[in-house]
Amino acid sequence: MDSQQVLFETLPFRISSSRYFSVIVRRLLFRWLSLSIISLTLLIAATCYDLRFGIVLLMFIFIILPLVLFIFYYNYALRPEAFYSVVEKSVTITSQGIDCIYNEKTHNILNWSNVQRIERDNKAFYIFTGNNTYFYLSREAFASIEELSRFEKDFLPSIIS
């Protein structure tokens, strides 16, 4: 931490876990929406001809879907980016990456070399380290509007490039 230059420090903030995962679910749903709708429509139509397909549909809803949700949770909720996005923390942005101050301890969350892309929203920055893993950085966490605009206009373009 001595060799890293602290560029920005934020106020304490957090995001609810439902909001965090709604972004990931929305992305996966749009990717797989057509396949899911076609499969469910075919199973419902097949149930009209033979009741056994209704049993397959119920198995899909009550066995396969919860298993997929569990795997989804296990894959994405247990990552450090997800954990430190949903807990109350302060963020220190350095020239090397992002450090979180949680429980009065500093934890290195991500390095700028691991960042794939950064998406901007009117409420936050989504700093993606994988396809569906990201760190949530709230716009309201910055102490002033000047600091937010300096982060967005001066610092982010150098990271993205």
Side-chain angles (χ1 to χ4, degrees):
M1 184 88 176
D2 298 332
S3 65
Q4 296 180 7
Q5 178 186 5
V6 175
L7 302 173
F8 302 97
E9 287 188 33
T10 66
L11 303 171
F13 70 98
R14 72 179 303 264
I15 182 177
S16 67
S17 56
S18 62
R19 177 154 167 79
Y20 181 83
F21 286 110
S22 69
V23 172
I24 297 173
V25 168
R26 215 174 320 137
R27 290 178 180 281
L28 289 174
L29 190 64
F30 285 137
R31 188 180 306 158
W32 296 100
L33 183 65
S34 60
L35 182 64
S36 302
I37 289 175
I38 289 171
S39 300
L40 288 176
T41 305
L42 287 175
L43 279 174
I44 291 170
T47 302
C48 295
Y49 294 110
D50 193 356
L51 193 58
R52 290 179 283 190
F53 287 107
I55 295 169
V56 173
L57 179 64
L58 289 174
M59 286 173 37
F60 177 77
I61 291 172
F62 292 114
I63 296 174
I64 297 172
L65 189 62
L67 182 63
V68 168
L69 289 175
F70 173 74
I71 292 171
F72 173 76
Y73 175 79
Y74 186 79
N75 247 354
Y76 299 116
L78 300 178
R79 295 185 186 239
E81 297 94 348
F83 175 74
Y84 287 109
S85 288
V86 298
V87 296
E88 183 81 23
K89 79 271 180 202
S90 294
V91 172
T92 304
I93 301 171
T94 65
S95 57
Q96 300 297 318
I98 292 181
D99 299 331
C100 283
I101 302 168
Y102 171 69
N103 279 349
E104 300 174 0
K105 295 179 185 169
T106 303
H107 305 277
N108 186 1
I109 301 305
L110 60 92
N111 295 324
W112 293 120
S113 60
N114 297 337
V115 173
Q116 291 182 354
R117 68 185 187 280
I118 300 174
E119 293 182 6
R120 300 172 187 170
D121 193 348
N122 57 357
K123 292 185 179 182
F125 298 99
Y126 302 111
I127 304 171
F128 282 87
T129 57
N131 280 339
N132 296 312
T133 56
Y134 67 93
F135 181 75
Y136 182 90
L137 181 61
S138 176
R139 288 180 181 266
E140 296 174 353
F142 288 94
S144 66
I145 296 173
E146 293 82 23
E147 193 172 279
L148 172 64
S149 78
R150 190 168 58 96
F151 174 75
E152 190 171 12
K153 302 260 188 317
D154 298 335
F155 187 69
L156 277 185
S158 66
I159 295 303
I160 293 172
S161 64

mmCIF file of all heavy atoms in Angstrom, residues 26-55:
data_model
loop_
_atom_site.group_PDB
_atom_site.id
_atom_site.type_symbol
_atom_site.label_atom_id
_atom_site.label_comp_id
_atom_site.label_asym_id
_atom_site.label_seq_id
_atom_site.Cartn_x
_atom_site.Cartn_y
_atom_site.Cartn_z
ATOM 1 N N ARG A 26 -30.476 -10.439 -15.600
ATOM 2 C CA ARG A 26 -30.965 -9.785 -16.813
ATOM 3 C C ARG A 26 -30.076 -10.116 -18.009
ATOM 4 O O ARG A 26 -30.552 -10.401 -19.104
ATOM 5 C CB ARG A 26 -31.017 -8.277 -16.592
ATOM 6 C CG ARG A 26 -32.150 -7.615 -17.279
ATOM 7 C CD ARG A 26 -32.273 -6.144 -16.935
ATOM 8 N NE ARG A 26 -32.013 -5.883 -15.527
ATOM 9 C CZ ARG A 26 -31.276 -4.870 -15.086
ATOM 10 N NH1 ARG A 26 -30.727 -4.026 -15.917
ATOM 11 N NH2 ARG A 26 -31.080 -4.688 -13.799
ATOM 12 N N ARG A 27 -28.772 -10.079 -17.813
ATOM 13 C CA ARG A 27 -27.841 -10.397 -18.909
ATOM 14 C C ARG A 27 -27.981 -11.851 -19.360
ATOM 15 O O ARG A 27 -28.012 -12.137 -20.549
ATOM 16 C CB ARG A 27 -26.405 -10.139 -18.475
ATOM 17 C CG ARG A 27 -26.092 -8.706 -18.314
ATOM 18 C CD ARG A 27 -24.659 -8.535 -17.835
ATOM 19 N NE ARG A 27 -24.361 -7.146 -17.692
ATOM 20 C CZ ARG A 27 -24.055 -6.342 -18.705
ATOM 21 N NH1 ARG A 27 -23.994 -6.814 -19.914
ATOM 22 N NH2 ARG A 27 -23.817 -5.075 -18.498
ATOM 23 N N LEU A 28 -28.052 -12.776 -18.409
ATOM 24 C CA LEU A 28 -28.196 -14.188 -18.763
ATOM 25 C C LEU A 28 -29.561 -14.484 -19.371
ATOM 26 O O LEU A 28 -29.680 -15.306 -20.277
ATOM 27 C CB LEU A 28 -27.967 -15.063 -17.537
ATOM 28 C CG LEU A 28 -26.537 -15.150 -17.038
ATOM 29 C CD1 LEU A 28 -26.477 -15.922 -15.741
ATOM 30 C CD2 LEU A 28 -25.643 -15.789 -18.077
ATOM 31 N N LEU A 29 -30.586 -13.804 -18.872
ATOM 32 C CA LEU A 29 -31.934 -14.026 -19.381
ATOM 33 C C LEU A 29 -32.046 -13.574 -20.828
ATOM 34 O O LEU A 29 -32.635 -14.277 -21.654
ATOM 35 C CB LEU A 29 -32.952 -13.293 -18.507
ATOM 36 C CG LEU A 29 -34.409 -13.603 -18.760
ATOM 37 C CD1 LEU A 29 -34.673 -15.068 -18.444
ATOM 38 C CD2 LEU A 29 -35.295 -12.711 -17.913
ATOM 39 N N PHE A 30 -31.476 -12.429 -21.160
ATOM 40 C CA PHE A 30 -31.526 -11.970 -22.545
ATOM 41 C C PHE A 30 -30.724 -12.890 -23.469
ATOM 42 O O PHE A 30 -31.074 -13.065 -24.621
ATOM 43 C CB PHE A 30 -31.017 -10.542 -22.669
ATOM 44 C CG PHE A 30 -31.986 -9.517 -22.171
ATOM 45 C CD1 PHE A 30 -31.554 -8.462 -21.408
ATOM 46 C CD2 PHE A 30 -33.337 -9.620 -22.453
ATOM 47 C CE1 PHE A 30 -32.447 -7.519 -20.933
ATOM 48 C CE2 PHE A 30 -34.240 -8.679 -21.990
ATOM 49 C CZ PHE A 30 -33.792 -7.629 -21.230
ATOM 50 N N ARG A 31 -29.657 -13.483 -22.943
ATOM 51 C CA ARG A 31 -28.850 -14.381 -23.751
ATOM 52 C C ARG A 31 -29.578 -15.696 -24.024
ATOM 53 O O ARG A 31 -29.498 -16.246 -25.115
ATOM 54 C CB ARG A 31 -27.525 -14.657 -23.048
ATOM 55 C CG ARG A 31 -26.555 -15.427 -23.914
ATOM 56 C CD ARG A 31 -25.255 -15.683 -23.221
ATOM 57 N NE ARG A 31 -24.671 -14.438 -22.731
ATOM 58 C CZ ARG A 31 -23.785 -14.382 -21.756
ATOM 59 N NH1 ARG A 31 -23.388 -15.477 -21.164
ATOM 60 N NH2 ARG A 31 -23.279 -13.232 -21.363
ATOM 61 N N TRP A 32 -30.296 -16.214 -23.033
ATOM 62 C CA TRP A 32 -30.938 -17.523 -23.138
ATOM 63 C C TRP A 32 -32.462 -17.446 -23.198
ATOM 64 O O TRP A 32 -33.140 -18.474 -23.099
ATOM 65 C CB TRP A 32 -30.541 -18.400 -21.958
ATOM 66 C CG TRP A 32 -29.081 -18.698 -21.950
ATOM 67 C CD1 TRP A 32 -28.128 -18.091 -21.210
ATOM 68 C CD2 TRP A 32 -28.399 -19.675 -22.736
ATOM 69 N NE1 TRP A 32 -26.898 -18.615 -21.472
ATOM 70 C CE2 TRP A 32 -27.040 -19.603 -22.418
ATOM 71 C CE3 TRP A 32 -28.819 -20.604 -23.687
ATOM 72 C CZ2 TRP A 32 -26.088 -20.415 -23.001
ATOM 73 C CZ3 TRP A 32 -27.869 -21.419 -24.261
ATOM 74 C CH2 TRP A 32 -26.527 -21.318 -23.922
ATOM 75 N N LEU A 33 -33.027 -16.265 -23.367
ATOM 76 C CA LEU A 33 -34.468 -16.088 -23.315
ATOM 77 C C LEU A 33 -35.191 -16.853 -24.420
ATOM 78 O O LEU A 33 -36.171 -17.551 -24.164
ATOM 79 C CB LEU A 33 -34.823 -14.600 -23.380
ATOM 80 C CG LEU A 33 -36.301 -14.259 -23.263
ATOM 81 C CD1 LEU A 33 -36.790 -14.650 -21.891
ATOM 82 C CD2 LEU A 33 -36.526 -12.793 -23.513
ATOM 83 N N SER A 34 -34.724 -16.758 -25.638
ATOM 84 C CA SER A 34 -35.425 -17.408 -26.748
ATOM 85 C C SER A 34 -35.422 -18.927 -26.599
ATOM 86 O O SER A 34 -36.440 -19.587 -26.831
ATOM 87 C CB SER A 34 -34.804 -17.005 -28.081
ATOM 88 O OG SER A 34 -33.447 -17.386 -28.119
ATOM 89 N N LEU A 35 -34.302 -19.484 -26.170
ATOM 90 C CA LEU A 35 -34.232 -20.929 -25.981
ATOM 91 C C LEU A 35 -35.169 -21.394 -24.866
ATOM 92 O O LEU A 35 -35.857 -22.407 -25.011
ATOM 93 C CB LEU A 35 -32.799 -21.354 -25.670
ATOM 94 C CG LEU A 35 -32.553 -22.848 -25.480
ATOM 95 C CD1 LEU A 35 -32.831 -23.593 -26.773
ATOM 96 C CD2 LEU A 35 -31.138 -23.085 -25.012
ATOM 97 N N SER A 36 -35.220 -20.641 -23.775
ATOM 98 C CA SER A 36 -36.105 -20.997 -22.666
ATOM 99 C C SER A 36 -37.569 -20.907 -23.064
ATOM 100 O O SER A 36 -38.366 -21.795 -22.740
ATOM 101 C CB SER A 36 -35.859 -20.075 -21.469
ATOM 102 O OG SER A 36 -34.536 -20.154 -21.070
ATOM 103 N N ILE A 37 -37.939 -19.857 -23.766
ATOM 104 C CA ILE A 37 -39.343 -19.686 -24.178
ATOM 105 C C ILE A 37 -39.750 -20.771 -25.163
ATOM 106 O O ILE A 37 -40.846 -21.341 -25.053
ATOM 107 C CB ILE A 37 -39.561 -18.276 -24.760
ATOM 108 C CG1 ILE A 37 -39.482 -17.248 -23.639
ATOM 109 C CG2 ILE A 37 -40.900 -18.177 -25.475
ATOM 110 C CD1 ILE A 37 -39.573 -15.829 -24.109
ATOM 111 N N ILE A 38 -38.896 -21.096 -26.110
ATOM 112 C CA ILE A 38 -39.218 -22.149 -27.081
ATOM 113 C C ILE A 38 -39.368 -23.497 -26.376
ATOM 114 O O ILE A 38 -40.314 -24.251 -26.652
ATOM 115 C CB ILE A 38 -38.141 -22.210 -28.179
ATOM 116 C CG1 ILE A 38 -38.245 -20.980 -29.079
ATOM 117 C CG2 ILE A 38 -38.275 -23.478 -29.013
ATOM 118 C CD1 ILE A 38 -37.115 -20.837 -30.058
ATOM 119 N N SER A 39 -38.469 -23.801 -25.441
ATOM 120 C CA SER A 39 -38.552 -25.079 -24.718
ATOM 121 C C SER A 39 -39.827 -25.180 -23.893
ATOM 122 O O SER A 39 -40.517 -26.214 -23.924
ATOM 123 C CB SER A 39 -37.350 -25.246 -23.793
ATOM 124 O OG SER A 39 -36.164 -25.227 -24.524
ATOM 125 N N LEU A 40 -40.142 -24.132 -23.162
ATOM 126 C CA LEU A 40 -41.357 -24.158 -22.348
ATOM 127 C C LEU A 40 -42.610 -24.207 -23.212
ATOM 128 O O LEU A 40 -43.563 -24.920 -22.881
ATOM 129 C CB LEU A 40 -41.389 -22.949 -21.419
ATOM 130 C CG LEU A 40 -40.410 -22.977 -20.260
ATOM 131 C CD1 LEU A 40 -40.469 -21.687 -19.476
ATOM 132 C CD2 LEU A 40 -40.693 -24.159 -19.359
ATOM 133 N N THR A 41 -42.627 -23.498 -24.315
ATOM 134 C CA THR A 41 -43.782 -23.521 -25.214
ATOM 135 C C THR A 41 -43.974 -24.905 -25.821
ATOM 136 O O THR A 41 -45.109 -25.398 -25.911
ATOM 137 C CB THR A 41 -43.605 -22.465 -26.334
ATOM 138 O OG1 THR A 41 -43.370 -21.195 -25.734
ATOM 139 C CG2 THR A 41 -44.833 -22.389 -27.214
ATOM 140 N N LEU A 42 -42.885 -25.532 -26.219
ATOM 141 C CA LEU A 42 -42.986 -26.879 -26.773
ATOM 142 C C LEU A 42 -43.476 -27.883 -25.726
ATOM 143 O O LEU A 42 -44.293 -28.764 -26.046
ATOM 144 C CB LEU A 42 -41.639 -27.325 -27.341
ATOM 145 C CG LEU A 42 -41.210 -26.653 -28.644
ATOM 146 C CD1 LEU A 42 -39.803 -27.087 -29.033
ATOM 147 C CD2 LEU A 42 -42.188 -26.968 -29.761
ATOM 148 N N LEU A 43 -42.995 -27.758 -24.496
ATOM 149 C CA LEU A 43 -43.457 -28.663 -23.444
ATOM 150 C C LEU A 43 -44.932 -28.442 -23.113
ATOM 151 O O LEU A 43 -45.670 -29.399 -22.883
ATOM 152 C CB LEU A 43 -42.609 -28.498 -22.186
ATOM 153 C CG LEU A 43 -41.278 -29.227 -22.187
ATOM 154 C CD1 LEU A 43 -40.471 -28.852 -20.954
ATOM 155 C CD2 LEU A 43 -41.483 -30.721 -22.249
ATOM 156 N N ILE A 44 -45.370 -27.197 -23.098
ATOM 157 C CA ILE A 44 -46.787 -26.915 -22.834
ATOM 158 C C ILE A 44 -47.659 -27.437 -23.967
ATOM 159 O O ILE A 44 -48.717 -28.034 -23.742
ATOM 160 C CB ILE A 44 -47.005 -25.410 -22.598
ATOM 161 C CG1 ILE A 44 -46.363 -25.008 -21.269
ATOM 162 C CG2 ILE A 44 -48.483 -25.047 -22.603
ATOM 163 C CD1 ILE A 44 -46.302 -23.518 -21.023
ATOM 164 N N ALA A 45 -47.201 -27.232 -25.208
ATOM 165 C CA ALA A 45 -47.962 -27.738 -26.357
ATOM 166 C C ALA A 45 -47.983 -29.266 -26.362
ATOM 167 O O ALA A 45 -49.016 -29.883 -26.686
ATOM 168 C CB ALA A 45 -47.356 -27.202 -27.648
ATOM 169 N N ALA A 46 -46.870 -29.885 -26.004
ATOM 170 C CA ALA A 46 -46.825 -31.350 -25.977
ATOM 171 C C ALA A 46 -47.695 -31.910 -24.856
ATOM 172 O O ALA A 46 -48.218 -33.031 -24.973
ATOM 173 C CB ALA A 46 -45.380 -31.818 -25.808
ATOM 174 N N THR A 47 -47.879 -31.146 -23.790
ATOM 175 C CA THR A 47 -48.740 -31.583 -22.688
ATOM 176 C C THR A 47 -50.191 -31.703 -23.136
ATOM 177 O O THR A 47 -50.936 -32.548 -22.633
ATOM 178 C CB THR A 47 -48.615 -30.599 -21.504
ATOM 179 O OG1 THR A 47 -47.253 -30.536 -21.109
ATOM 180 C CG2 THR A 47 -49.461 -31.039 -20.322
ATOM 181 N N CYS A 48 -50.586 -30.892 -24.088
ATOM 182 C CA CYS A 48 -51.957 -30.979 -24.613
ATOM 183 C C CYS A 48 -52.197 -32.317 -25.308
ATOM 184 O O CYS A 48 -53.331 -32.798 -25.342
ATOM 185 C CB CYS A 48 -52.228 -29.834 -25.578
ATOM 186 S SG CYS A 48 -52.193 -28.217 -24.789
ATOM 187 N N TYR A 49 -51.174 -32.905 -25.891
ATOM 188 C CA TYR A 49 -51.317 -34.182 -26.592
ATOM 189 C C TYR A 49 -51.077 -35.384 -25.678
ATOM 190 O O TYR A 49 -51.693 -36.422 -25.845
ATOM 191 C CB TYR A 49 -50.362 -34.239 -27.789
ATOM 192 C CG TYR A 49 -50.733 -33.238 -28.846
ATOM 193 C CD1 TYR A 49 -49.931 -32.128 -29.081
ATOM 194 C CD2 TYR A 49 -51.887 -33.377 -29.601
ATOM 195 C CE1 TYR A 49 -50.260 -31.191 -30.040
ATOM 196 C CE2 TYR A 49 -52.232 -32.446 -30.555
ATOM 197 C CZ TYR A 49 -51.415 -31.354 -30.779
ATOM 198 O OH TYR A 49 -51.753 -30.436 -31.722
ATOM 199 N N ASP A 50 -50.147 -35.238 -24.749
ATOM 200 C CA ASP A 50 -49.836 -36.346 -23.850
ATOM 201 C C ASP A 50 -49.493 -35.773 -22.485
ATOM 202 O O ASP A 50 -48.625 -34.898 -22.359
ATOM 203 C CB ASP A 50 -48.649 -37.154 -24.400
ATOM 204 C CG ASP A 50 -48.481 -38.482 -23.682
ATOM 205 O OD1 ASP A 50 -49.224 -38.746 -22.730
ATOM 206 O OD2 ASP A 50 -47.575 -39.237 -24.085
ATOM 207 N N LEU A 51 -50.150 -36.242 -21.466
ATOM 208 C CA LEU A 51 -49.991 -35.705 -20.114
ATOM 209 C C LEU A 51 -48.603 -35.958 -19.531
ATOM 210 O O LEU A 51 -48.163 -35.245 -18.636
ATOM 211 C CB LEU A 51 -51.063 -36.310 -19.200
ATOM 212 C CG LEU A 51 -51.250 -35.643 -17.853
ATOM 213 C CD1 LEU A 51 -51.589 -34.172 -18.025
ATOM 214 C CD2 LEU A 51 -52.321 -36.348 -17.062
ATOM 215 N N ARG A 52 -47.880 -36.916 -20.070
ATOM 216 C CA ARG A 52 -46.546 -37.213 -19.553
ATOM 217 C C ARG A 52 -45.578 -36.048 -19.758
ATOM 218 O O ARG A 52 -44.636 -35.868 -18.990
ATOM 219 C CB ARG A 52 -45.998 -38.483 -20.193
ATOM 220 C CG ARG A 52 -46.740 -39.724 -19.704
ATOM 221 C CD ARG A 52 -46.204 -40.937 -20.351
ATOM 222 N NE ARG A 52 -46.750 -40.980 -21.723
ATOM 223 C CZ ARG A 52 -46.648 -42.010 -22.534
ATOM 224 N NH1 ARG A 52 -45.985 -43.078 -22.147
ATOM 225 N NH2 ARG A 52 -47.181 -41.984 -23.724
ATOM 226 N N PHE A 53 -45.800 -35.239 -20.798
ATOM 227 C CA PHE A 53 -44.951 -34.067 -21.006
ATOM 228 C C PHE A 53 -45.186 -33.015 -19.923
ATOM 229 O O PHE A 53 -44.303 -32.223 -19.613
ATOM 230 C CB PHE A 53 -45.179 -33.467 -22.393
ATOM 231 C CG PHE A 53 -44.594 -34.298 -23.487
ATOM 232 C CD1 PHE A 53 -45.418 -35.031 -24.332
ATOM 233 C CD2 PHE A 53 -43.227 -34.363 -23.677
ATOM 234 C CE1 PHE A 53 -44.885 -35.801 -25.333
ATOM 235 C CE2 PHE A 53 -42.688 -35.127 -24.684
ATOM 236 C CZ PHE A 53 -43.518 -35.853 -25.514
ATOM 237 N N GLY A 54 -46.381 -33.010 -19.333
ATOM 238 C CA GLY A 54 -46.646 -32.131 -18.192
ATOM 239 C C GLY A 54 -45.806 -32.514 -16.997
ATOM 240 O O GLY A 54 -45.350 -31.653 -16.239
ATOM 241 N N ILE A 55 -45.589 -33.812 -16.832
ATOM 242 C CA ILE A 55 -44.726 -34.281 -15.747
ATOM 243 C C ILE A 55 -43.282 -33.834 -16.005
ATOM 244 O O ILE A 55 -42.580 -33.415 -15.089
ATOM 245 C CB ILE A 55 -44.833 -35.813 -15.604
ATOM 246 C CG1 ILE A 55 -46.256 -36.179 -15.172
ATOM 247 C CG2 ILE A 55 -43.811 -36.345 -14.609
ATOM 248 C CD1 ILE A 55 -46.568 -37.643 -15.236
#
